[in-house]
């Protein structure tokens, strides 16, 4: 497998080849601005102490304080965090947020920790990174296997260190602790709004369209519920252990309730005959829209030619490799790229930060309409660029983001300015 970061930068070079970009811009975006590593020594419930590796990377802050989640996952490593921070830089530019990109993570299997151990780990993260983050410097948020509870502990720890309440240091907090209405389902809702907005352009109709969702976490689940409510048929769902598929469809609420009760998708309720399979098998099953909502590198050169979906919508970060992109594009599959498809999360994070700074809170209806107002025009612009320049939607999204980043970088002057 080629290296993640090298692969990610290919997308930038591809976009740059379709436009004129000052070399200063490419130079500035070549490497992360700063990265901090730490070892978190945490007291376990049995009295022993364990050490966890942790990172935070601020990739670029040209357009504002850096923004991005913190993930707790066994496979977290520095290169992955750097790449995710790179993607956040472009995601924030696509959504026109006044933020740069960042990411953080801890190499840990959070499901093996008790609740108290998880709290101590979350607080240890902030102790180690408190001078790196800050409401005007770098603002974390939830990501894989972190949630509003974790954000609340982190905010509390930061506020204790700086000795005053500081809700704007982190987003995705519980509502009662300065969180925003509408943040929980924002990632799934963003993907839903993009698809519904471009439905006619994609030539799809809700009651004639089937969907497979790989990954039934926050993003996948909320997306499934919104699409299901509008008449789309959910034919496949998976979690990290098992995939289920039924051409007759299933109700994502019932599947979710079943999983909560039984701890597995096996035997979940569906409308017809349920087939059980692996995650990899599910990706290549028949459907119209495929939603990778789990990990990076799921659709690769090895399985891309077997994908049957006509549309792939990336709710996960980086689920399709550049080699797979090429194959999908040749086969006429539309890929809605992560930096647009899952940008709803960071958009509502931005709303949360604005509300925290202003001390003035919005209703759920306001959040929903502001999210729609912000994401739809960006989706439309990216679609237009892809038609005009005859490029895939990912390249179009990178072109769109790079335009904004270029304007910001060159506003400080370039070689042409200083030598004239
Ligand atoms: N972790 C989410 C993402 O990858 C949200 C980031 C944020 O809200 O800052 O987009």
């Amino acid at each position: 497998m080629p290296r993640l970061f090298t692969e990610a930068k290919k997308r930038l070079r591809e976009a740059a080849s379709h436009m004129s970009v000052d070399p200063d811009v490419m130079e500035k975006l070549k490497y992360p601005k700063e990265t901090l590593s730490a070892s978190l020594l945490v007291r376990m419930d049995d009295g022993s102490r364990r050490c966890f590796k942790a990172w935070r990377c601020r990739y670029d802050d040209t357009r504002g304080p850096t923004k991005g989640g913190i993930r707790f996952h066994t496979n977290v490593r520095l290169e992955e965090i750097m790449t995710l921070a790179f993607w956040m830089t472009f995601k924030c530019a696509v959504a026109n947020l006044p933020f740069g990109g960042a990411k953080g993570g801890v190499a840990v299997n959070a499901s093996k920790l008790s609740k108290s151990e998880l709290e101590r780990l979350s607080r240890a993260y902030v102790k180690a990174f408190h001078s790196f983050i800050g409401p005007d410097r770098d603002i974390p948020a939830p990501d894989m296997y972190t949630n509003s509870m974790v954000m609340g502990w982190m905010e509390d720890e930061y506020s204790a260190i700086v000795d005053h309440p500081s809700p704007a240091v982190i987003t995705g907090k519980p509502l009662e602790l300065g969180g925003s209405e509408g943040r929980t389902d924002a990632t799934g809702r963003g993907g839903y709004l993009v698809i519904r907005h471009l439905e006619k352009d994609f030539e799809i109709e809700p009651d004639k369209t089937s969907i497979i969702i790989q990954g039934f976490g926050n993003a996948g689940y909320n997306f499934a519920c919104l699409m299901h409510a509008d008449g789309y048929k959910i034919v496949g769902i998976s979690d990290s252990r098992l995939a289920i598929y039924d051409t007759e469809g299933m109700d994502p609420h019932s599947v979710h309730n079943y999983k909560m009760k039984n701890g597995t998708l096996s035997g979940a309720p569906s409308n017809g005959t349920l087939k059980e399979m692996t995650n990899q098998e599910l990706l290549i099953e028949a459907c119209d829209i495929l939603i990778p909502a789990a990990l990076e590198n799921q659709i690769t050169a090895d399985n891309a030619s077997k994908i049957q979906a006509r549309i792939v919508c990336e709710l996960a970060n980086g689920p399709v490799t550049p080699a797979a992109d090429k194959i999908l594009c040749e086969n006429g599959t539309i890929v809605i790229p992560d930096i647009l498809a899952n940008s709803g999360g960071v958009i509502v994070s931005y709303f949360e930060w604005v509300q925290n700074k202003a001390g003035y809170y919005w209703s759920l209806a306001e959040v929903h309409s502001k999210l729609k107002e912000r994401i739809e025009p960006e989706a439309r612009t990216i679609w237009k660029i892809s038609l005009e320049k005859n490029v895939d939607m990912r390249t179009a999204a990178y072109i769109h983001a790079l335009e904004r980043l270029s304007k910001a970088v060159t506003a400080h002057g370039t070689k042409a300015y200083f030598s004239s």
Side-chain angles (χ1 to χ4, degrees):
M1 178 67 63
R3 295 180 65 84
L4 201 61
F5 187 56
T6 317
E7 292 286 285
K9 287 206 295 188
K10 274 190 193 161
R11 262 94 186 235
L12 174 57
R13 282 197 299 274
E14 169 66 23
S17 73
H18 294 275
M19 55 199 282
S20 104
V21 187
D22 191 279
D24 279 9
V25 177
M26 298 305 272
E27 195 62 23
K28 181 133 202 237
L29 295 172
K30 214 165 167 181
Y31 302 116
K33 183 179 167 78
E34 51 180 346
T35 307
L36 188 63
S37 314
S39 308
L40 312 180
L41 197 59
V42 178
R43 178 82 59 195
M44 307 307 279
D45 290 345
D46 68 1
S48 66
R49 289 207 283 182
R50 264 182 66 194
C51 196
F52 299 93
K53 283 176 126 183
W55 298 271
R56 183 81 188 162
C57 170
R58 300 178 66 230
Y59 198 90
D60 180 75
D61 66 351
T62 311
R63 288 173 43 88
T66 49
K67 186 88 192 79
I70 298 174
R71 61 172 55 182
F72 288 173
H73 192 272
T74 328
N75 298 338
V76 165
R77 59 205 155 88
L78 175 58
E79 197 211 359
E80 181 196 36
I81 295 300
M82 248 162 67
T83 309
L84 286 155
F86 172 88
W87 286 330
M88 281 309 299
T89 306
F90 286 84
K91 197 186 295 183
C92 291
V94 157
N96 207 10
L97 307 178
F99 287 143
K103 204 74 165 200
V106 181
V108 59
N109 182 348
S111 68
K112 292 258 152 64
L113 300 186
S114 72
K115 287 176 180 158
S116 307
E117 288 166 345
L118 193 64
E119 176 174 5
R120 289 195 285 274
L121 179 71
S122 306
R123 290 184 182 275
Y125 188 92
V126 174
K127 279 197 191 97
F129 291 94
H130 73 271
S131 55
F132 202 73
I133 61 173
D136 296 307
R137 191 172 204 279
D138 175 32
I139 306 129
D143 199 84
M144 282 173 55
Y145 297 101
T146 52
N147 55 20
S148 59
M149 191 72 166
V150 171
M151 299 303 111
W153 290 326
M154 289 185 166
E155 189 267 340
D156 190 49
E157 191 64 32
Y158 184 83
S159 297
I161 293 169
V162 298
D163 203 19
H164 56 82
S166 187
V169 71
I170 205 158
T171 60
K173 300 177 293 295
L175 212 51
E176 302 73 15
L177 297 173
S180 176
E181 293 282 359
R183 177 63 185 84
T184 310
D185 77 351
T187 307
R189 183 174 293 272
Y192 156 82
L193 289 170
V194 169
I195 293 186
R196 296 250 38 197
H197 184 63
L198 294 176
E199 224 166 56
K200 289 206 176 65
D201 306 272
F202 293 159
E203 295 169 3
I204 49 175
E205 283 175 49
D207 50 2
K208 296 194 186 111
T209 307
S210 60
I211 303 181
I212 285 179
I213 297 172
Q214 187 213 25
F216 208 42
N218 173 291
Y221 167 64
N222 286 299
F223 174 86
C225 293
L226 288 162
M227 296 301 274
H228 177 74
D230 285 5
Y232 281 86
K233 197 200 268 181
I234 312 296
V235 292
I237 290 178
S238 74
D239 64 13
S240 58
R241 279 162 295 169
L242 185 75
I244 52 175
Y245 181 80
D246 181 351
T247 47
E248 295 299 310
M250 51 190 99
D251 173 357
H253 296 100
S254 315
V255 174
H256 187 255
N257 291 343
Y258 180 90
K259 194 192 155 175
M260 288 292 113
K261 213 167 133 207
N262 300 286
T264 174
L265 289 174
S266 180
S270 72
N271 302 338
T273 316
L274 197 72
K275 279 205 288 183
E276 297 190 355
M277 56 188 71
T278 65
N279 251 292
Q280 284 304 314
E281 284 163 347
L282 183 71
L283 292 174
I284 57 176
E285 273 292 352
C287 68
D288 300 304
I289 306 180
L290 175 63
I291 309 289
L295 282 165
E296 298 90 77
N297 289 341
Q298 296 301 297
I299 304 173
T300 66
D302 296 334
N303 61 1
S305 60
K306 298 186 204 130
I307 300 287
Q308 301 193 52
R310 220 168 52 70
I311 297 167
V312 174
C313 177
E314 297 183 317
L315 279 194
N317 288 313
V320 178
T321 66
D325 256 344
K326 226 172 138 225
I327 299 167
L328 291 171
C329 187
E330 278 162 13
N331 291 344
T333 308
I334 298 169
V335 179
I336 310 175
D338 46 7
I339 56 172
L340 169 66
N342 69 29
S343 64
V346 72
I347 293 175
V348 178
S349 272
Y350 165 58
F351 296 162
E352 181 172 333
W353 180 78
V354 168
Q355 292 171 80
N356 292 152
K357 289 226 150 216
Y360 180 69
Y361 289 84
W362 310 346
S363 68
L364 181 62
E366 261 175 293
V367 171
H368 283 173
S369 80
K370 285 192 164 75
L371 172 60
K372 190 170 152 76
E373 258 167 41
R374 197 167 268 268
I375 206 165
E376 285 184 352
E378 304 302 345
R380 172 74 37 210
T381 303
I382 289 167
W383 177 247
K384 263 203 195 140
I385 296 174
S386 85
L387 296 181
E388 276 161 22
K389 296 205 184 273
N390 195 23
V391 293
D392 58 28
M393 278 186 86
R394 187 185 317 278
T395 308
Y398 274 86
I399 291 173
H400 187 42
L402 192 53
E403 296 263 4
R404 287 188 173 136
L405 281 156
S406 291
K407 283 187 186 145
V409 173
T410 56
H412 282 146
T414 58
K415 185 175 169 191
Y417 170 81
F418 285 104
S419 56
S420 66

